[in-house]
Amino acid sequence: SLLNEFDARLCGKVLVPSAYSQGTDLERLCEAVLKRNLFVQITGEQDGWLRYHALFRDYLQARLEKEHLATKPAILQQLIDNYAAQGEWERAYNICKGLDDAVLTASIIEQAGPTLLKLSRFHILLRWIDDLPPSLIDADPGIMSLKGATLVMTGKVRNGIDLLNQAVSAFTVNGDNARLARSLTRRSGAYYLLTNYSAALHDAELALKYCYKDVGLLAEALKTRGISLLCLNQSTSGLKDINESL
């Protein structure tokens, strides 16, 4: 009932081992639920997907709260992990909000950030971030970096750079090179928008020292360096970087 829509595959990922033991035939269990018409309906275009009727779902969730309260957090955590792995960020975020766990919510927002930025979902990101406790935002350089990048993309470039500066400083101190590289790449793009191509090039080159393990980030840093080089009339090197980033 916590899954809203479900099939045997999703149940296997989310409910084992929290609610069912390994080896439980969840395919047969789902078929039995449907065959006995236990207040379920087929949903979606794919075979095997089911949903409980709303009133019965609410009843089952109330039973879960009363009789198996300790099981619920584990199921929801596995559901969040599954949605995150599938890139279904809004579903993952909504479950985190329901758990009232600000730290977990911030983690999901940061993970979702690169995808949502690429999709230009800036207002969703800002709403999610601004919903976090201010003290958490101030203490979390990953969220500061993401908010800075989002502000840059919505036209508040200098405000965004201020946050990115704080994030870069924090990651430099704590040695988190992967997140430092992402923040430097974001700040490089911000400097480019301000036509400060030398600063953009400097940040991109620093980022490239740390992002060799992340292919997507490596491509982004190469592209940013290439564009900066082009703007500095270094067309041969710039085009080489841009071609390598593709």
Side-chain angles (χ1 to χ4, degrees):
S1 64
L2 294 174
L3 309 188
N4 192 21
E5 297 177 358
F6 59 91
D7 68 349
R9 181 195 60 82
L10 180 60
C11 289
K13 288 184 175 182
V14 174
L15 300 180
V16 176
S18 301
Y20 294 100
S21 60
Q22 294 284 353
T24 301
D25 191 342
L26 293 168
E27 190 79 42
R28 189 174 68 176
L29 191 58
C30 287
E31 288 175 0
V33 167
L34 181 61
K35 184 176 181 180
R36 296 174 186 175
N37 193 25
L38 296 178
F39 301 101
V40 295
Q41 60 190 47
I42 298 173
T43 182
E45 297 179 358
Q46 295 178 311
D47 291 339
W49 280 89
L50 306 172
R51 175 194 292 146
Y52 284 116
H53 292 295
L55 289 176
F56 189 57
R57 182 192 64 222
D58 292 346
Y59 164 74
L60 291 175
Q61 290 183 4
R63 284 274 307 272
L64 179 65
E65 291 276 354
K66 184 177 180 180
E67 299 175 14
H68 304 283
L69 183 59
T71 304
K72 182 178 178 180
I75 293 173
L76 291 177
Q77 182 62 65
Q78 287 175 263
L79 187 57
I80 290 166
D81 292 343
N82 178 73
Y83 285 147
Q86 299 298 320
E88 296 186 53
W89 297 113
E90 291 187 58
R91 287 187 170 186
Y93 171 81
N94 287 332
I95 295 171
C96 289
K97 286 290 289 181
L99 288 172
D100 197 28
D101 186 333
V103 174
L104 179 60
T105 303
S107 174
I108 286 295
I109 293 171
E110 187 179 358
Q111 291 176 59
T115 299
L116 296 185
L117 285 173
K118 190 175 293 185
L119 296 173
S120 301
R121 307 289 294 277
F122 309 130
H123 296 294
I124 285 179
L125 272 174
L126 285 176
R127 187 177 76 243
W128 288 1
I129 293 170
D130 289 342
D131 242 8
L132 294 170
S135 58
L136 189 152
I137 298 173
D138 293 339
D140 188 331
I143 292 297
M144 277 193 284
S145 174
L146 181 57
K147 184 171 183 178
T150 309
L151 289 174
V152 168
M153 298 307 295
T154 54
K156 298 178 180 179
V157 181
R158 295 190 185 279
N159 291 338
I161 288 176
D162 287 342
L163 288 174
L164 288 165
N165 288 341
Q166 295 178 58
V168 166
S169 295
F171 291 136
T172 300
V173 170
N174 69 22
D176 190 335
N177 289 337
R179 294 159 90 195
L180 173 61
R182 188 173 297 283
S183 299
L184 286 165
T185 302
R186 289 167 173 170
R187 192 173 69 178
S188 176
Y191 281 136
Y192 167 78
L193 292 175
L194 292 179
T195 68
N196 189 345
Y197 305 127
S198 296
L201 177 60
H202 177 265
D203 273 0
E205 288 181 333
L206 276 179
L208 285 166
K209 293 181 179 180
Y210 302 117
C211 64
Y212 54 89
K213 291 183 179 180
D214 186 326
V215 175
L217 185 56
L218 177 62
E220 190 177 343
L222 278 170
K223 182 174 70 174
T224 305
R225 185 174 73 173
I227 292 171
S228 301
L229 288 167
L230 287 176
C231 293
L232 291 168
N233 297 316
Q234 299 181 46
S235 57
T236 301
S237 298
L239 289 172
K240 180 175 180 292
D241 277 352
I242 291 171
N243 287 331
E244 285 186 21
S245 74
L246 298 177

